[in-house]
C-alpha cells in the first residue's frame, strides 16, 4: 500500500512544468488577469479603495446623500444593538438549559456558524431583526445573498445598506455577481428552471470568467464587497490567482459546483493550498457541500482539510434546510445529522435555505429557489413580496431551531457577534 501511494507523489519536475505554464509571458489567461488588476490600479490600490468604500461612515454618508429610506432602518438597528435589545447569548442558553446551567461547559471548540440564505432585500433583514427581538431568537452570524447586483445599486442603495448592516450586527455575508450563465451566455440553459436539474451547469462560458473577475473588482472597489459566491472551476481558479497576486478577495463555493464526494473535495482543497500566499492564507473561506453528502463524507473531508492546514480557514457550509420547491426532494432536514457531526468536526456552518418542511407544506406560497432569479419589478407585479418575506422569516425560524438543538446538545453556535 505504501509503495502504491508513493507512485502518486507529484514530481518536482511536474510542478516546474506547471510553474512554467503559469509564468510564461505568452500565457493569455494569466496575462489577461494581470492586465485587469493593473487596469484597476494594482492590488495595493484596489484593497485601499475597498477599505474606504466599506467604511461605515462612508456608506452612511452616501445613503444620506441619496435620501435613502434605509437610513432610518439602519439607525434603528444601531439603536437596538446599542441598547442591547437582542437576547444575550448567556440568557439564550439559560432559556434552553435552565437558570442553573453551566454555560462554560458548552463546547465552543466546534461552534457552528448560524447561516441563512438568501436575504434578497434589505427590508427583510430589518423584519428578521424585529422577529429576533420579539421572539428572543439569535440573528445568524452569516448571511448569503443571490440578488442581482446592478438592481441592488439602483434600489435606494440596497447594496450599501446591506454592507453597513452586516458591520452593525457583526456578521459575514456573501454577494452573488451577475456575470454567470443565467445572464443568457450559457446556451444550454433555457432559463432558471433548467439550472437545478444538474449542478455545475450554470457556467461561465468563453470570456465570462475574466468578466466575472472584472465585475468583482468593480464591486470590491466601489462598495467594499469582499466575499462573493463562486460557481465555476474557472472563476474559482481566478479567485485563487487574484488572491495570490495581492487582491484581498474572499469567496465561497456554491452548492451548484457539486462538491459531493471526498475526491472532489480533495481537488478543491488541494488547489486552495497550492495557490495560497506565503503566509498560508487562501481566498477560499468556505464552500457548500452538495445536498447529497452524508456525515462520513464530511468526516473524510475534514481529514483532508486538516492535513492541508485549512481547518480554521475553510468553512464547510452545510445545508440543513432547503427551499421547499425546485431543488431537493422534500422533506429535507439535516439537523439531527448536523448535531452528530458537529461534535467531531469543527468549522461548519448550518445553512438554512428553507423553512421547516412541515411549515412550508402548509404555506399558500412555499419557498422556491427559482424565485431568487426574479427581478424586484416582477415580484411586485405578481404581488409576491410579502409571501417571499414570510418564506425568508421561516428560514430565520429554522435557523433558531437549529441553534436551540445545538446548544441543548452542548455545542456552541456563532451568531451575529455584535448583537448577542
Amino acid at each position: 500500500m505504501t509503495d502504491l501511494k508513493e507512485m502518486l507523489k507529484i514530481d518536482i519536475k511536474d510542478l516546474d512544468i506547471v510553474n512554467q505554464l503559469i509564468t510564461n509571458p505568452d500565457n493569455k489567461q494569466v496575462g489577461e488577469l494581470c492586465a485587469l488588476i493593473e487596469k484597476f490600479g494594482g492590488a495595493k490600490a484596489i484593497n485601499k479603495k475597498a477599505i474606504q468604500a466599506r467604511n461605515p461612515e462612508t456608506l452612511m454618508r452616501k445613503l444620506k446623500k441619496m435620501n435613502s429610506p434605509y437610513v432610518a432602518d439602519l439607525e434603528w438597528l444601531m439603536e437596538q444593538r446599542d441598547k442591547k435589545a437582542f437576547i444575550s447569548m448567556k440568557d439564550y442558553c439559560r432559556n434552553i438549559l435552565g437558570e442553573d446551567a453551566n454555560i462554560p461547559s458548552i463546547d465552543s471548540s466546534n461552534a457552528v456558524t448560524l447561516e441563512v440564505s438568501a436575504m434578497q432585500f434589505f427590508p427583510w433583514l430589518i423584519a428578521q431583526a424585529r422577529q429576533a427581538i420579539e421572539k428572543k431568537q439569535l440573528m445568524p452570524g452569516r448571511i448569503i445573498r443571490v440578488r442581482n447586483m446592478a438592481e441592488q445599486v439602483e434600489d435606494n442603495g440596497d447594496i450599501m445598506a446591506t454592507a453597513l448592516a452586516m458591520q452593525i450586527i457583526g456578521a459575514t455575508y456573501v454577494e452573488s455577481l451577475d456575470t454567470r450563465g443565467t445572464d443568457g451566455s450559457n446556451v444550454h440553459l433555457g432559463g432558471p428552471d433548467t439550472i437545478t436539474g444538474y449542478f455545475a451547469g450554470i457556467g461561465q462560458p468563453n470570456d465570462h470568467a475574466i468578466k466575472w473577475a472584472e465585475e468583482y473588482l468593480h464591486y470590491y472597489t466601489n462598495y467594499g464587497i469582499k466575499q462573493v459566491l463562486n460557481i465555476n472551476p474557472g472563476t474559482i481558479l481566478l479567485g485563487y490567482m487574484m488572491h495570490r497576486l495581492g487582491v484581498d478577495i474572499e469567496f465561497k463555493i456554491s452548492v451548484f459546483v457539486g462538491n459531493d464526494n471526498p475526491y472532489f473535495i480533495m481537488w478543491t482543497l488541494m488547489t486552495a493550498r497550492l495557490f495560497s500566499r506565503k503566509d498560508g492564507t487562501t481566498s477560499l473561506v468556505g464552500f457548500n457541500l452538495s445536498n447529497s453528502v452524508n456525515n462520513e463524507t464530511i468526516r473524510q473531508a475534514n481529514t483532508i482539510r486538516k492535513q492541508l492546514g485549512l481547518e480554521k480557514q475553510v468553512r464547510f457550509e452545510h445545508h440543513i434546510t432547503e427551499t421547499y420547491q425546485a431543488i431537493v426532494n422534500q422533506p429535507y432536514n439535516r439537523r439531527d445529522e448536523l448535531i452528530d457531526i458537529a461534535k467531531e468536526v469543527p468549522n461548519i456552518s448550518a445553512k438554512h435555505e428553507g423553512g421547516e418542511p412541515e411549515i412550508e407544506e402548509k404555506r399558500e406560497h412555499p419557498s422556491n429557489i427559482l424565485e431568487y432569479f426574479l427581478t424586484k419589478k416582477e415580484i411586485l407585479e405578481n404581488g409576491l413580496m410579502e409571501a417571499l418575506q414570510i418564506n425568508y422569516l421561516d428560514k430565520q425560524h429554522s435557523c433558531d431551531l437549529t441553534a436551540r438543538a445545538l446548544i441543548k446538545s452542548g455545542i456552541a453556535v456563532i451568531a451575529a457577534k455584535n448583537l448577542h
Side-chain angles (χ1 to χ4, degrees):
M1 179 69 76
T2 302
D3 290 342
L4 280 174
K5 288 184 175 180
E6 281 295 315
M7 292 173 66
L8 289 173
K9 189 174 181 179
I10 300 170
D11 289 336
I12 296 298
K13 67 178 180 62
D14 293 320
L15 288 174
D16 287 342
I17 291 171
V18 173
N19 280 327
Q20 288 169 20
L21 168 71
I22 295 170
T23 59
N24 190 318
D26 295 326
N27 185 306
K28 179 176 173 58
Q29 291 71 42
V30 176
E32 285 183 341
L33 177 59
C34 291
L36 179 62
I37 291 173
E38 288 303 314
K39 175 183 173 182
F40 278 79
K44 191 173 290 187
I46 287 169
N47 294 330
K48 185 177 180 180
K49 288 177 184 176
I51 291 170
Q52 292 172 340
R54 66 172 166 267
N55 179 282
E57 292 181 2
T58 301
L59 290 167
M60 184 60 91
R61 183 171 63 251
K62 288 182 177 179
L63 287 164
K64 286 181 176 179
K65 186 175 181 180
M66 66 169 59
N67 294 316
S68 172
Y70 302 145
V71 169
D73 290 326
L74 288 163
E75 290 174 340
W76 173 85
L77 189 59
M78 286 187 279
E79 180 184 346
Q80 303 310 306
R81 176 201 62 191
D82 294 344
K83 73 178 187 180
K84 302 188 184 306
F86 295 88
I87 189 168
S88 70
M89 186 62 74
K90 181 182 288 186
D91 287 343
Y92 186 83
C93 292
R94 281 178 175 163
N95 285 349
I96 297 166
L97 302 175
E99 284 296 323
D100 298 326
N102 182 13
I103 305 301
S105 69
I106 298 174
D107 182 12
S108 59
S109 61
N110 284 14
V112 173
T113 300
L114 302 175
E115 183 173 327
V116 173
S117 174
M119 198 279 286
Q120 300 295 76
F121 301 94
F122 172 74
W124 292 6
L125 180 72
I126 300 303
Q128 183 180 11
R130 292 184 187 280
Q131 176 174 300
I133 292 172
E134 178 189 353
K135 298 186 176 182
K136 301 186 183 304
Q137 297 175 343
L138 296 180
M139 287 286 281
R142 186 161 177 78
I143 288 174
I144 313 300
R145 305 195 82 197
V146 193
R147 187 183 179 190
N148 178 279
M149 300 290 288
E151 184 180 271
Q152 290 184 52
V153 173
E154 298 301 321
D155 185 12
N156 294 306
D158 182 292
I159 192 169
M160 291 187 289
T162 299
L164 179 51
M166 293 302 105
Q167 295 179 73
I168 292 170
I169 70 174
T172 62
Y173 78 112
V174 174
E175 291 278 11
S176 303
L177 301 178
D178 295 337
T179 309
R180 49 187 165 173
T182 52
D183 60 4
S185 59
N186 189 340
V187 297
H188 300 292
L189 296 185
D193 57 315
T194 62
I195 292 173
T196 56
Y198 53 96
F199 284 359
I202 300 176
Q204 296 282 12
N206 307 312
D207 61 348
H208 265 56
I210 199 71
K211 287 182 178 178
W212 178 91
E214 183 166 11
E215 185 185 2
Y216 173 81
L217 291 174
H218 168 74
Y219 287 106
Y220 182 50
T221 55
N222 284 282
Y223 301 99
I225 305 300
K226 190 171 187 178
Q227 285 192 21
V228 292
L229 193 69
N230 215 326
I231 60 165
N232 177 268
T235 51
I236 290 170
L237 180 60
L238 277 169
Y240 290 145
M241 292 196 295
M242 290 168 73
H243 187 258
R244 181 71 172 247
L245 291 170
V247 178
D248 290 337
I249 180 176
E250 294 179 354
F251 66 85
K252 62 159 284 187
I253 294 175
S254 168
V255 68
F256 283 105
V257 173
N259 274 275
D260 60 354
N261 62 72
Y263 301 94
F264 196 161
I265 292 165
M266 185 186 296
W267 178 269
T268 298
L269 292 173
M270 280 196 306
T271 315
R273 179 79 278 166
L274 287 169
F275 281 93
S276 62
R277 289 180 180 171
K278 290 182 179 180
D279 62 3
T281 59
T282 174
S283 47
L284 177 63
V285 295
F287 65 101
N288 272 121
L289 304 172
S290 167
N291 294 312
S292 57
V293 301
N294 55 37
N295 279 2
E296 178 55 28
T297 298
I298 298 174
R299 287 187 190 95
Q300 292 186 35
N302 183 56
T303 299
I304 296 165
R305 182 178 64 168
K306 188 173 183 178
Q307 289 177 351
L308 289 170
L310 297 172
E311 191 176 52
K312 293 182 178 180
Q313 292 191 59
V314 181
R315 181 190 301 107
F316 291 151
E317 305 195 8
H318 190 31
H319 279 94
I320 307 308
T321 58
E322 266 290 5
T323 58
Y324 197 70
Q325 299 181 86
I327 189 164
V328 297
N329 293 323
Q330 295 288 354
Y332 179 96
N333 190 322
R334 311 293 289 276
R335 188 173 290 121
D336 290 343
E337 294 173 59
L338 170 72
I339 291 168
D340 287 340
I341 198 66
K343 292 174 182 176
E344 54 184 291
V345 175
N347 204 6
I348 291 177
S349 72
K351 186 176 184 183
H352 299 80
E353 196 107 35
E356 299 299 288
E358 59 271 23
I359 291 176
E360 290 262 21
E361 68 179 353
K362 296 175 183 176
R363 288 288 184 204
E364 183 177 344
H365 188 95
S367 61
N368 187 327
I369 200 166
L370 302 183
E371 291 169 341
Y372 287 178
F373 302 95
L374 294 176
T375 64
K376 185 176 182 179
K377 183 174 183 290
E378 291 170 325
I379 290 169
L380 293 175
E381 287 177 349
N382 289 281
L384 289 175
M385 188 61 81
E386 183 179 357
L388 296 184
Q389 180 172 294
I390 290 172
N391 292 154
Y392 181 70
L393 295 179
D394 282 344
K395 302 175 188 188
Q396 165 65 22
H397 168 68
S398 286
C399 184
D400 196 70
L401 290 178
T402 297
R404 295 180 66 85
L406 286 164
I407 289 169
K408 194 172 182 179
S409 299
I411 303 165
V413 298
I414 298 172
K417 63 182 181 181
N418 294 342
L419 303 182
H420 307 287

